[in-house]
Amino acid sequence: MRDFSIGPAQIVALFMTCIFYGMLLVTTSLCLNILLLKKDRNTLSHHIALAATLCMLAIASNDAALGLAHVLDAFAYYTGPGGAEAELSHVSSWINVVKLVNYLLQTTIGDFLLVYRCYVIHDRRRAVIVLPIFLWLAFLITYSTAIYVTANRHALGSISSDQTPFITAASVATLVQNLATTGMIVYKLWSHERRNREFLAGSLTRRRLTRVIGIIIESALFYTIFTFLTLVTFLADNNADYALSDCVVQIIGISFNMIIIRGHGTLSARWEDHEPSQISQRTNQFRMTDMTLGFGENDHRRKVSEISECPQPSIYSEVASTP
């Protein structure tokens, strides 16, 4: 079998990036359609979601354009010694450094939004996000250090031993942070459903909550699997990590968009329009509120329903819209 050298690896990376970039464009257009048509467009969470969507698209577009420019420089315009392989092997070239910065920015935004979603769903309890914030900062510091070392290396070849510890630590930090934060979100939703099972049994509400949990888990797995494969190929010193790391930049944006798109389809209707008869049969003390995606800065105080002696956190209206 032929070695998977850096030249073919960069071509495969460009091909895979184009595929996922196309998916990102489609999901971004759908996501913007939802965000721009929302009635409550003046809330903090809406502004955060809209800004994050546009920033992720800009970063992913820049990364895809740089990938194309790098391949063109190497295979079409470079005429120096060593050919395309030599040009692509300049790890400290400005294109490689900027692509590392793109990965840093995209992952930092994606992880921060995940922490913010966990913070909101846990009724804005700061103690809950201490570990996720610590891991988020650990990734930011270690990967920034790796970028600095790379930019000042000025040598040919693959990632050096000086960079390996920082990139490895950063990858482990973001993996653990995503798994831990997603686990806390899912646990909060599951415990809410379990605590109120008597009132939610057989209702559309319970089925919606189950779908929300599935959406969050699937989005987290999509990103986590690619990040894990990137780490494995990097530690194995396999050039496939170029393709996988480029894909992660696109996948972070896709995962974020899909939560909003799929969550909108699950949670956008009003409770009154779906199951008033079921609710009235269970208790006369339900007062249903708006079941839209949006919520403002103080909307975490709002109840989805008010049941005497059975307080419920305002989870349903917050899950999908929280960036």
Side-chain angles (χ1 to χ4, degrees):
M1 180 181 294
R2 296 180 179 178
D3 293 334
F4 192 48
S5 60
I6 192 171
Q10 290 285 10
I11 295 175
V12 172
L14 178 61
F15 174 73
M16 295 179 65
T17 297
C18 290
I19 293 175
F20 284 103
Y21 183 65
M23 296 172 60
L24 178 65
L25 289 177
V26 173
T27 57
T28 298
S29 63
L30 295 174
C31 187
L32 289 176
N33 181 62
I34 293 172
L35 293 173
L36 295 177
L37 294 180
K38 285 178 62 175
K39 295 179 180 179
D40 50 343
R41 289 179 292 178
N42 294 321
T43 63
L44 174 62
S45 294
H46 175 269
H47 294 322
I48 292 176
L50 183 59
T53 301
L54 295 175
C55 286
M56 287 183 174
L57 176 63
I59 295 171
S61 299
N62 178 260
D63 197 73
L66 287 176
L68 175 60
H70 205 189
V71 171
L72 287 176
D73 284 344
F75 290 95
Y77 305 128
Y78 181 72
T79 58
E85 295 278 337
E87 173 65 13
L88 294 172
S89 296
H90 283 280
V91 176
S92 58
S93 68
W94 72 270
I95 291 182
N96 281 328
V97 173
V98 174
K99 285 177 72 66
L100 289 175
V101 172
N102 286 337
Y103 183 92
L104 171 68
L105 292 176
Q106 196 82 319
T107 306
T108 300
I109 293 173
D111 288 354
F112 173 79
L113 295 174
L114 182 63
V115 173
Y116 181 75
R117 180 179 290 115
C118 180
Y119 171 65
V120 170
I121 291 177
H122 280 267
D123 301 320
R124 287 171 165 77
R125 292 170 52 201
R126 296 180 182 178
V128 173
I129 60 171
V130 171
L131 177 61
I133 285 293
F134 173 78
L135 293 171
W136 179 74
L137 290 174
F139 167 81
L140 186 60
I141 294 171
T142 52
Y143 206 85
S144 297
T145 305
I147 293 175
Y148 176 80
V149 173
T150 301
N152 291 276
R153 185 166 177 240
H154 303 299
L156 299 178
S158 58
I159 301 297
S160 69
S161 58
D162 294 336
Q163 299 154 286
T164 300
F166 299 109
I167 295 180
T168 302
S171 299
V172 171
T174 188
L175 274 173
V176 175
Q177 191 262 7
N178 271 266
L179 291 173
T181 308
T182 302
M184 287 190 288
I185 292 174
V186 171
Y187 175 77
K188 179 67 173 179
L189 296 175
W190 174 81
S191 61
H192 177 84
E193 184 272 339
R194 184 180 180 184
R195 184 170 61 253
N196 298 289
R197 186 169 296 172
E198 176 184 351
F199 301 97
L200 300 177
S203 67
L204 182 60
T205 305
R206 186 176 182 182
R207 293 195 295 272
R208 280 176 176 163
L209 182 56
T210 302
R211 286 197 294 268
V212 168
I213 294 175
I215 290 169
I216 293 174
I217 293 176
E218 289 169 7
S219 298
L221 283 178
F222 188 35
Y223 166 75
T224 302
I225 288 173
F226 270 82
T227 304
F228 177 74
L229 291 176
T230 301
L231 176 61
V232 170
T233 53
F234 170 75
L235 294 177
D237 198 20
N238 191 306
N239 286 320
D241 75 292
Y242 286 100
L244 292 170
S245 61
D246 285 355
C247 289
V248 170
V249 175
Q250 313 296 328
I251 287 170
I252 293 173
I254 295 171
S255 298
F256 174 77
N257 292 339
M258 288 305 299
I259 289 179
I260 295 179
I261 294 168
R262 297 180 64 190
H264 175 79
T266 301
L267 299 176
S268 60
R270 292 178 180 268
W271 289 83
E272 298 94 324
D273 297 337
H274 288 87
E275 49 179 299
S277 60
Q278 297 179 30
I279 297 298
S280 61
Q281 290 173 4
R282 285 172 174 78
T283 176
N284 294 324
Q285 296 171 322
F286 273 77
R287 182 172 64 83
M288 308 317 296
T289 60
D290 192 7
M291 185 60 178
T292 60
L293 280 171
F295 60 94
E297 296 182 54
N298 298 318
D299 286 349
H300 61 285
R301 302 187 183 94
R302 184 176 62 197
K303 305 294 183 182
V304 171
S305 60
E306 295 180 358
I307 307 174
S308 61
E309 301 180 356
C310 185
Q312 298 186 24
S314 55
I315 290 178
Y316 302 106
S317 61
E318 297 179 344
V319 175
S321 62
T322 309

